[in-house]
Amino acid sequence: MLMRRTFLGLGYCAMVVFGLTTSAQAITPEKARNVIDAILMQSGISAELTRAKATTDGAVDLTYDDVLLHLSGYSTPRSLALDGVNVTVRDTDQANQVDLDIKLPERGKMLAEATSDQRDLTMRNAGGYLRWDIHKNAPVTFDGFADFLIGDEPVTRKHWLMNGLVLQWLPKMARVSWQSAEWTGPNREKRGSAKAASLIVYPGENGETHLDYAHDGLWLPSLLQPRTVRIKSSSDGLPWTEARPIIEKGFLDMLTGTAPRLARRQIGDALWQKAVDNGAPVKIDELYVESRGLEALGTGELLAQAAARYGFTGEIDFNLLGKDLLQDLIGTPESPTLLGALVPFAVTGLASGDPGPNGTTRYKTSLLPDGRIVINGMTVYKAPSGG
């Protein structure tokens, strides 16, 4: 009898909960078109609706041709042109919110006046899932992806490509990552590549903002290249409630045509200004760098300051493994190599290290407001005057 009453009680509670929850319902083609029209208008996108069809599961499939998105942040005016963009619109169990399943075509073009700025685009399994607030006319969450992206300039044959791209915006996380990337100069001359990269911003347990960055397998046409980098940072004085709107705007800007490089800079500048206003130190909880037999592991703390030469002051302490290899490359203050003569501050800085544990060399590095870099008490770099 007790067991029966328990099940009856649980069943009653379940009915109450589900009875109070707004259920997702079928959406009409007219409502679906109005939602997309509002998004297109807000984003400055022009498009021609060529197909609208209700599905058996209560959604609406919309297909658009002549999609034109004007891009910003490039050296010359450019636009993204696509045909056959499919959007499936579904109602949700949240009032004033709908889900959009976006599928991009396999081919597209970046249009520009100069031929050298034009790109033929190839996109494999590219698209995203967007939850949209109709009342606020703003995104709630976004998950973008592409198995493969390539931009190819038809005359000089410059190209960039990226595999496994993920772009996510959630209430408590922002993430950009990819599995491999490559970019070239004219005639496919390799200029750089990376096996993987990831940038994640998220709140901590006490509401602080965390930023984790990592890349692996970076190749550049230079002697010194940080092949692997991991940075874990946080700021108690920069709350997630203040950082989130900045990051959200940056993601929305990228989705609506702002060049990724410009959007990243705008996000960084806005976060830096907020840190300045709050007097918020940024803690480097972990810094790891590996390059051709060299490894460095450190921690530190930086303070954003408007009056500082490079925008920050602070200290980073790290232990370096492989000093001898680097010294063979650039030399010593008494006997620099040809490369070392070009970067004398690096030669002086390397030589100023103190013995550390397990065969490492310890460096206590300070960045001063006037731009000087001090390592273990020795000034190894002075910023040029008048700059």
Side-chain angles (χ1 to χ4, degrees), residues 171-174 200-212 232-244 247 283 285:
K172 291 190 176 181
M173 185 188 73
I200 304 176
V201 189
Y202 57 96
E205 294 181 357
N206 298 315
E208 74 278 13
T209 298
H210 288 253
L211 185 150
D212 295 350
K232 293 183 178 293
S233 63
S234 61
S235 178
D236 294 329
L238 184 58
W240 176 252
T241 53
E242 297 182 14
R244 176 183 169 179
I247 300 166
K283 297 178 181 178
D285 303 307

Side-chain angles (χ1 to χ4, degrees), residues 322-332 335-339 350:
K323 175 187 174 183
D324 294 343
L325 294 175
L326 190 54
Q327 207 160 49
D328 290 342
L329 185 63
I330 65 176
T332 65
S335 181
T337 65
L338 179 60
L339 177 61
L350 181 66

Side-chain angles (χ1 to χ4, degrees), residues 357-373:
N358 302 318
T360 63
T361 305
R362 179 182 293 134
Y363 296 88
K364 185 179 182 66
T365 305
S366 299
L367 178 61
L368 303 185
D370 60 5
R372 281 181 296 156
I373 298 177

Side-chain angles (χ1 to χ4, degrees), residues 44-191:
I45 302 173
S46 61
E48 180 183 353
L49 178 64
T50 58
R51 176 177 171 271
K53 181 181 179 181
T55 66
T56 56
D57 61 353
V60 174
D61 279 337
L62 305 171
T63 301
Y64 291 88
D65 287 341
D66 297 326
V67 178
L68 191 66
L69 170 61
H70 296 293
L71 307 178
S72 61
Y74 293 91
S75 57
T76 58
R78 305 182 193 186
S79 298
L80 176 65
L82 302 171
D83 284 323
V85 177
N86 183 260
V87 183
T88 301
V89 185
R90 290 183 174 87
D91 200 1
T92 71
D93 56 2
Q94 299 294 320
N96 298 318
Q97 293 184 7
V98 295
D99 283 339
L100 309 179
D101 181 355
I102 305 165
K103 290 183 172 60
L104 300 180
E106 190 162 310
R107 303 291 181 182
K109 286 185 176 294
M110 180 184 287
L111 306 179
E113 292 182 3
T115 305
S116 59
D117 293 332
Q118 297 172 9
R119 297 291 185 273
D120 293 327
L121 305 177
T122 302
M123 302 168 284
R124 294 263 174 84
N125 189 30
Y129 301 102
L130 174 67
R131 174 157 290 198
W132 189 264
D133 189 308
I134 301 172
H135 180 69
K136 297 179 180 178
N137 209 26
V140 180
T141 64
F142 177 76
D143 283 89
F145 52 84
D147 289 347
F148 177 81
L149 286 176
I150 183 169
D152 206 334
E153 196 276 297
V155 177
T156 66
R157 301 182 71 237
K158 292 189 295 185
H159 80 254
W160 56 261
L161 64 86
M162 186 177 294
N163 291 322
L165 174 65
V166 174
L167 179 65
Q168 287 184 311
W169 169 255
L170 304 172
K172 291 190 176 181
M173 185 188 73
R175 175 190 176 201
V176 179
S177 65
W178 60 87
Q179 292 304 311
S180 62
E182 179 181 291
W183 52 99
T184 73
N187 296 318
R188 303 289 176 89
E189 178 188 358
K190 189 173 179 180
R191 294 287 178 84

